[in-house]
Amino acid sequence: MDGIFLKVLNMSISASWLILAVILLRFLLKKAPKWAAVLLWGIVAWRLTVPFSFESALSLIPSAETFNAHNIQFETPAISSGIPAVNSAVNPVLGEIFAPDPMESVNPLYVWTGIASVIWIAGIAAMLLYAAVSYARVRRRVAESAPYEDNIFLCDHVKSPFILGMVRPKIYLPSGISDASREPVIAHERAHLARRDHWWKPAGFLILAVHWFNPLCWAAYILLCRDIELACDEKVVRRMDLAEKKHYSTALLECSTGRRPVSVCPLAFGEVGVKERVKHVLNYKKPAFGVIAAAVAACAMVTVCFATDPNGTVHSMRAASQENLPETADLREKYPEYFELGTFKGLEVYVWQMAENDYRFGLMYGTDREKTPEEKLALKGASAEEMARILSAYDIEDKDIFVIPWQNPISSYMVTEEMAKDPEYISRIRAMLGLDGVSAPSVRETVSVPGNDIPADDSGRISAEEAADAFGIPIVLPKNSNWIADAEYCLVDGNNLRITYHDLIADADCTLSVSKNADLDLPPMDYDEALNETWEGTTAGGQYITVSVRHERNHEKMTLAVWEYKEYQFAIMGEDDSNVVIPKAALNVIENLD
Amino acid sequence: MADIQLGAVEARFADIIWASEPVTSSELIKLAAAELSWKRTTTYTVLRRLCDKGLFQNNNGVVTSLLSRREFYARHSRKYVDETFSGSLPAFLAAFTSEEKLTAGEIAEIHELIDRAGE
């Protein structure tokens, strides 16, 4: 609903320029036939109702979209009126009053938009209610009528002639109308029917009901009603001589007077003053060809300049430039959730690979926290082309789009840690999405460094090979990157090695400690003896090794696996719901020993 | 007797009654439906109004006149009056003119405008 309201608001604002132009042109085209003015109002109506428009380099409309739904919902509120002075005056104030509060999910202008759209709907309802009630009253009044001829009826209870009905319109005349006035009046009403004014006027009112908040639309409707009457008069008197014109003018005057004045209804505004009409009728001459040509040219000019949108204002410049990509509308249907994201903290593009050259992309709003596995698993995998198109729908700078590699568990294709952190890998993927190929890509840490007792500096950090050299034995964690991630080898001292890693299956940070010729310095813990287990492993050399597995009494998840090999003591500690992942990691380490 | 005034449509309805009285109200409804395409409720409404004006009477569904057609037109000119009603036409109807308040001076001015045209 808010979206429709904003669309109507933007249409109303851009049509206002057209209305101003038409009002100006009406003055310039005083000599032109009035049907030209009615035609111009038709262009206004088209602009007010049809949600799409053509772009034109000649467009004089400053902006096709003053209020952008996306800006209002997520960004610092701002308008783009197309007039720099207006923007620079309004936007700082908007930004100050409706500054987004980081603690709130939406910015305040969005809330106000919601309230405004409710008021808008209420206004439409009031307008339609007025129409329905007054229509019903007239219907009741004309029930008591007598047929005169054809579709013409006499009625005691009406003051001036009018047409009622859309499909089978009937002309109602006041029964007291003088014989002299009757024929001119019937001619006028028949001209209305021939011009289909009994359709255009209600149609205009319907459009006004939707745009009731726009004062210029009220002005346009009032002027439309006047122009319709004048155009209708022109049609009637076109072939009349002076005597007939005088006769017609007298009928006009009689129908406007001679009756008691009624209370002035604020909505009976549509008609034009009888004096103006009499003058118009008496002075009417067939317009010269030159005048008609000028009027047609003026209509065409107004259409091109004010009924079209300025080039390249549709939502985003990027969208317009990527025309050969899949239609955004289809994408909105396929990935609706990717089009409704807040960009306050940037956008996060998660990328995973199903095969070597099969990249999939998921999109999420930016946050400071790491996304949960559930959130990531819910992502639909779009192609690079599709994601590029989706991103182009956002008004966001490339540097605020973060590309984050992710090992999707459903994929057997491994994205290793090295690949994920390789700037070249990231920039290649950013290039696929049409993002900055050159600027330094920003990669967010996907996993925080576990353990608090790790030295803050990197002085002790070594590679697996260096660890093997320093200790004389290979110390190897499982190679499956769906299982073990972020392994970091750290030499605490000459006899102590600490390897931290993230166990993806247990979703836990674990520590493998190895000590040579010394006892392991294990933290004091209260183990539940009843849960003690032993596991058997075999080294590459065929040696059996017993792994003792213990669980913390008050924190059953906390698991410790301890074993000895030659002069080395091993321990893996971490949270393990399954009770098997840490022991299995231990057996894997053992398998790789000599 | 107070002055009775009829609108042109009311007069047509009164003519139907004068032509066929005494007439039952159900017969009258049929006649009005045939001649004026009126609905039952419209006929009842107008009949009640004319009875209130003292032109007709309705005794147990039989309508008769209190004044004959000749008596009525002897006493009243054929000049019809406009019924007064409050409110004006809805803005969206295509009407001939609007009701507007013109002063006598303005009316005279427009009359002069028409008379002088073409001179």
Side-chain angles (χ1 to χ4, degrees):
Chain A
M1 188 53 70
D2 297 0
I4 299 172
F5 171 63
L6 283 178
K7 182 79 208 172
V8 169
L9 185 61
N10 284 320
M11 275 158 52
S12 218
I13 291 169
S14 49
S16 293
W17 298 102
L18 178 60
I19 294 172
L20 288 173
V22 171
I23 290 174
L24 187 71
L25 211 60
R26 270 179 91 254
F27 279 105
L28 299 177
L29 291 175
K30 264 198 163 145
K31 291 261 181 282
K34 282 294 166 192
W35 57 255
V38 177
L39 197 67
L40 285 171
W41 293 124
I43 298 168
V44 171
W46 173 70
R47 194 77 163 106
L48 283 169
T49 46
V50 180
F52 52 85
S53 179
F54 302 104
E55 287 182 15
S56 147
L58 296 172
S59 175
L60 293 176
I61 304 265
S63 167
E65 196 175 27
T66 305
F67 293 97
N68 175 288
H70 182 74
N71 285 350
I72 283 177
Q73 190 164 3
F74 302 113
E75 306 282 337
T76 301
I79 62 166
S80 47
S81 65
I83 305 169
V86 172
N87 290 352
S88 58
V90 171
N91 286 343
V93 181
L94 273 183
E96 208 167 285
I97 298 175
F98 300 112
D101 181 346
M103 303 303 287
E104 299 285 341
S105 55
V106 291
N107 84 39
L109 193 55
Y110 182 63
V111 177
W112 284 106
T113 309
I115 295 168
S117 61
V118 170
I119 295 171
W120 171 62
I121 292 292
I124 294 176
M127 295 282 284
L128 296 180
L129 189 71
Y130 158 76
V133 167
S134 54
Y135 182 78
R137 286 183 57 187
V138 171
R139 278 304 292 261
R140 209 173 52 227
R141 220 184 283 160
V142 300
E144 195 184 319
S145 59
Y148 176 71
E149 59 176 49
D150 295 342
N151 57 345
I152 302 170
F153 292 79
L154 293 175
C155 186
D156 288 346
H157 307 286
V158 298
K159 287 186 155 306
S160 80
F162 63 93
I163 296 166
L164 196 67
M166 305 275 274
V167 186
R168 270 178 297 167
K170 290 173 180 166
I171 297 171
Y172 290 94
L173 305 179
S175 56
I177 195 166
S178 72
D179 293 342
S181 293
R182 194 173 289 142
E183 281 318 307
V185 164
I186 290 172
H188 177 91
E189 299 305 330
R190 287 201 167 131
H192 267 317
L193 290 181
R195 289 172 36 85
R196 302 280 179 269
D197 288 334
H198 58 297
W199 295 348
W200 310 138
K201 249 179 130 170
F205 185 85
L206 206 63
I207 296 170
L208 179 67
V210 174
H211 292 269
W212 62 267
F213 52 85
N214 186 345
L216 279 170
C217 289
W218 288 87
Y221 182 69
I222 292 169
L223 293 173
L224 165 73
C225 292
R226 298 168 73 115
D227 288 342
I228 281 178
E229 290 307 320
L230 293 175
C232 186
D233 284 340
E234 279 183 357
K235 188 178 166 71
V236 177
V237 303
R238 203 163 41 190
R239 290 192 180 81
M240 284 185 175
D241 60 23
L242 183 65
E244 287 170 319
K245 281 181 190 169
K246 282 186 173 187
H247 185 59
Y248 186 78
S249 301
T250 312
L252 270 179
L253 186 60
E254 191 205 316
C255 282
S256 308
T257 59
R259 285 145 225 280
R260 260 155 285 180
V262 288
S263 59
V264 177
C265 171
L267 282 149
F269 50 69
E271 313 301 331
V272 60
V274 64
K275 190 172 161 187
E276 193 190 329
R277 275 176 75 180
V278 167
K279 275 188 187 169
H280 192 80
V281 165
L282 294 174
N283 295 334
Y284 179 80
K285 290 180 201 76
K286 263 200 173 152
F289 176 75
V291 174
I292 292 178
V296 170
C299 290
M301 187 196 76
V302 163
T303 309
V304 170
C305 294
F306 290 96
T308 55
D309 284 335
N311 279 352
T313 50
V314 195
H315 303 295
S316 160
M317 301 297 188
R318 263 182 292 173
S321 66
Q322 299 184 359
E323 276 159 15
N324 53 347
L325 291 174
E327 284 301 318
T328 312
D330 296 343
L331 287 177
R332 276 183 193 274
E333 207 167 295
K334 198 167 165 192
Y335 309 106
E337 67 271 31
Y338 290 170
F339 284 91
E340 300 166 347
L341 297 170
T343 56
F344 193 53
K345 286 182 176 166
L347 288 172
E348 292 180 358
V349 179
Y350 283 82
V351 54
W352 62 93
Q353 282 182 255
M354 300 303 286
E356 193 180 350
N357 283 315
D358 182 3
Y359 294 84
R360 303 292 171 85
F361 299 86
L363 190 62
M364 274 195 266
Y365 58 91
T367 48
D368 294 332
R369 66 180 173 85
E370 196 201 333
K371 297 293 195 298
T372 66
E374 286 78 19
E375 281 177 288
K376 288 189 222 171
L377 280 167
L379 291 173
K380 287 180 198 156
S383 73
E385 271 199 350
E386 289 174 329
M387 185 51 67
R389 186 74 174 182
I390 291 167
L391 289 173
S392 72
Y394 282 94
D395 186 17
I396 183 172
E397 286 185 44
D398 287 356
K399 72 171 176 57
D400 292 326
I401 298 174
F402 306 99
V403 170
I404 303 169
W406 171 49
Q407 177 60 60
N408 192 327
I410 63 166
S411 167
S412 57
Y413 187 84
M414 306 292 170
V415 181
T416 63
E417 276 307 304
E418 288 74 34
M419 282 164 77
K421 291 204 171 149
D422 182 1
E424 257 184 47
Y425 181 78
I426 302 291
S427 53
R428 203 170 69 242
I429 289 170
R430 292 179 74 84
M432 282 182 211
L433 298 174
L435 300 173
D436 48 15
V438 277
S439 71
S442 49
V443 189
R444 289 190 165 184
E445 287 293 328
T446 51
V447 176
S448 55
V449 179
N452 300 325
D453 49 355
I454 306 268
D457 59 329
D458 283 359
S459 57
R461 198 168 286 182
I462 54 174
S463 70
E465 292 73 31
E466 286 170 327
D469 286 348
F471 269 59
I473 52 165
I475 302 164
V476 184
L477 286 164
K479 292 257 193 275
N480 186 341
S481 64
N482 282 334
W483 180 2
I484 305 293
D486 294 332
E488 278 179 14
Y489 288 70
C490 185
L491 209 52
V492 181
D493 57 43
N495 290 325
N496 282 290
L497 178 72
R498 180 165 296 164
I499 305 166
T500 55
Y501 66 90
H502 191 73
D503 190 312
L504 291 167
I505 300 171
D507 191 25
D509 295 324
C510 301
T511 310
L512 165 59
S513 304
V514 188
S515 103
K516 183 180 172 185
N517 298 320
D519 281 337
L520 266 177
D521 183 19
L522 293 172
M525 286 169 98
D526 182 12
Y527 295 108
D528 189 342
E529 304 292 336
L531 294 173
N532 282 0
E533 295 175 58
T534 51
W535 290 57
E536 288 269 295
T538 318
T539 65
Q543 185 185 342
Y544 287 103
I545 293 189
T546 306
V547 180
S548 155
V549 181
R550 287 180 271 181
H551 298 276
E552 231 275 346
R553 186 186 301 281
N554 301 316
H555 185 167
E556 281 176 27
K557 281 184 182 177
M558 188 54 77
T559 306
L560 178 70
V562 191
W563 71 98
E564 289 180 14
Y565 169 74
K566 295 186 186 166
E567 66 270 39
Y568 304 95
Q569 290 188 3
F570 290 78
I572 300 180
M573 196 160 73
E575 293 185 353
D576 179 9
D577 261 341
S578 67
N579 295 334
V580 297
V581 180
I582 284 180
K584 284 199 168 174
L587 299 188
N588 218 297
V589 174
I590 291 166
E591 272 174 29
N592 285 293
L593 297 169
D594 300 324
Chain B
M1 183 177 284
D3 201 27
I4 301 173
Q5 292 192 312
L6 295 180
V9 176
E10 286 171 333
R12 293 250 327 242
F13 180 65
D15 283 340
I16 294 172
I17 300 175
W18 278 317
S20 50
E21 69 170 329
V23 61
T24 62
S25 49
S26 58
E27 185 64 23
L28 190 57
I29 286 163
K30 277 181 203 152
L31 288 170
E35 253 183 79
L36 302 170
S37 336
W38 281 6
K39 281 187 272 182
R40 198 173 62 89
T41 48
T42 307
T43 305
Y44 271 129
T45 306
V46 181
L47 177 62
R48 192 177 310 118
R49 194 189 307 136
L50 296 188
C51 290
D52 289 345
K53 284 182 177 180
L55 193 56
F56 301 106
Q57 61 181 353
N58 184 353
N59 284 327
N60 298 323
V62 179
V63 180
T64 50
S65 67
L66 295 172
L67 276 178
S68 73
R69 191 169 189 276
R70 186 176 300 179
E71 283 169 331
F72 178 77
Y73 283 118
R75 208 175 295 181
H76 304 283
S77 71
R78 269 176 188 271
K79 193 171 176 297
Y80 303 120
V81 297
D82 307 306
E83 284 287 321
T84 53
F85 64 94
S86 59
S88 41
L89 289 175
F92 51 84
L93 288 181
F96 183 60
T97 59
S98 65
E99 303 94 10
E100 52 184 316
K101 283 182 183 173
L102 290 178
T103 63
E106 283 168 331
I107 294 170
E109 193 190 341
I110 297 170
H111 265 304
E112 201 187 326
L113 206 70
I114 297 170
D115 292 342
R116 283 217 323 254
E119 280 175 11

